[in-house]
Amino acid sequence: MDKKQDVIEREEVVVRFAGDSGDGMQLTGTLFSDTSAFLGNDLSTFPDYPSEIRAPQGTIGGVSGFQVHFGHRQVNTPGDYADVLVAMNPAALKANAKWVKSGGTIILDEDSFTPRGLKKAGYETNDPIKEDHLEEFNIIKAPITTLTKEALKNLDLDQKSILRSKNMFALGMVYWLFERPLKYTEQFFERKFENQPKIIEANKRVLEAGYHYAETVELLTPTYKISPAEIEKGTYRNIDGNKATAWGLIAASEKSDLELFCGSYPITPASEILHELALRRDFGVKTFQAEDEIAGICTALGASFAGSLAVTTTSGPGLALKSEAIGLAIMTELPIIIVDVQRGGPSTGLPTKPEQSDLTQALYGRNGESPLVVLAATTPSNCFHYAFTAAKIALEHMVPVILLTDGFLANGSEPWKIPQMSDYPNIKPPIVPRGEKEWMPYARDPEKLARTWAIAGTPGYEHRIGGLEKDELTGSVSHDPQNHEKMVYLREEKVNRVVRDVPNQQVEGSQEGDLLLVGWGGTYGHLKTALDELRKEEALKIGLAQFNYIKPLPANTGDIFNRFDKILVCELNRGQFMDYLRMNHPKFNYLKYNKIQGQPFTTIEIKEHVKKLVEVNHYG
């Protein structure tokens, strides 16, 4: 049979890899994503893994998944449902079968579907296909473990190393199914295991074995072709949100001509920012792994006093611990960036699952009147831009800035066109020029109200800072009631004036009409996809306003809200942004749509909710 007759061209495909936490599903999904990116596909990924270091093997709680959506057209989400599921054990099948499209393909390692494995996954019979009503799916039962052992039988590897390679067999099968070349993954082996030639050989053998197995079994035909996406010319790479954040901070360091210092305490899902920065000594980056969250931010604040671009990174419970030092940064009016990679809470909550749970804490979680700037990134790649922007605002306005990302952005990835540094502006902090004779520590720029920055240790500019209230000009400790009230309003006004550097909020889709979708942060991809599909399928007059600037809000926020009949605020929390909007723009009626399941929205559920609302608007 002519192989070309068995190839179907598709616009987009979703693949989900699932297995036990030790099965290497995150690496498998990452390698598949990287290969797709090398081939020019647009893509979006969603790693979904448990928080326990080692949940019981073979149980639902220990299932680790990685979903990748890649296509010939623009891709904004990891996809709602998968076309292909790879399930390495019964628990992976039980946990993920509900996320496969009707009639989709499910590839199983049949060696793991033993009575014991089925029982651990919670199956009551020895027929999981029938028990889960999966008869309509294209089920591929492959002896992955057996064939992996066969491929490596002459390589003198221990049993543990052999079994570790079985994820590459599954990857080889999927590469065959979607006509992906093996060479990029083989090059990865050669780099990763440079000094372990036997491991390189083992992984190559198993990858090729999976590929050729898929080629010989008729059940995996036809194969699918996804052509490269039509994207703007430039140099691209695949990047996740944490790496993009780290690189945005490094770019700000270069543009401000200040050394970058990051004092942090490791916490999921923010730790990779510290890891990435620690690798960049070649850019002059200094990192310090502190003994706790409080020490992390305090070292950063000290570095700021000493004239560095100061950063600390954290997640929800860590932000709570940093709250007193953030107040000190507000009081001393020193620039610092606090990157909060949000996760499900409260307490340790759901550390590996996404949730927009820290907005209220970022805005108000401190004692006293303590305003600061709050920004939110919306995609993995634009974490670079908003990390840079957070640094620019902090340094030029002499304020602390909290940058909110989340686990979905931090671990998810997408192609990123590497920007030219010449496209980014220089950053000009108000450092006191040498020779300034009339300098006062809290003298301010009349436009921004930013105080000047005298680097500690500069002869002639010795001054005192601290947490006690200070005189509005000299910085001396002051308990004068009128001065305190003046300083409270002044600090608030200084943050409000940042709005002069905030671009107008943009609306995608209809500029006026039935309904405005409102989101912030990492929900952008799902809201954007829902918007596009609703406008195409239902001809609805709806728009989307996805906010990056939270405090202060863009100046045209009220003007936008005036143009729509209904405003629907969608968040992965109980409605924190809606409450904030209601407080700042009380004349509008807000509807809310919330999800608090440690999972992102699906496009389908947003569309269904919007259709109900617009139907009520027309006929209610």
Side-chain angles (χ1 to χ4, degrees), residues 465-502:
I465 61 171
L468 292 171
E469 185 60 281
K470 67 187 86 59
D471 178 79
E472 63 166 317
L473 187 62
T474 65
S476 299
V477 172
S478 170
H479 292 99
D480 177 69
Q482 301 303 320
N483 176 74
H484 173 59
E485 185 167 295
K486 187 172 183 177
M487 291 299 286
V488 166
Y489 282 114
L490 193 153
R491 287 187 285 263
E492 179 71 30
E493 178 61 18
K494 187 173 72 160
V495 170
N496 290 339
R497 289 196 184 185
V498 172
V499 76
R500 298 176 182 183
D501 290 342
V502 172

Side-chain angles (χ1 to χ4, degrees), residues 580-591:
Y580 177 67
L581 290 174
R582 181 179 285 156
M583 188 174 73
N584 284 275
H585 293 277
K587 65 177 280 191
F588 302 103
N589 292 319
Y590 301 96
L591 303 169

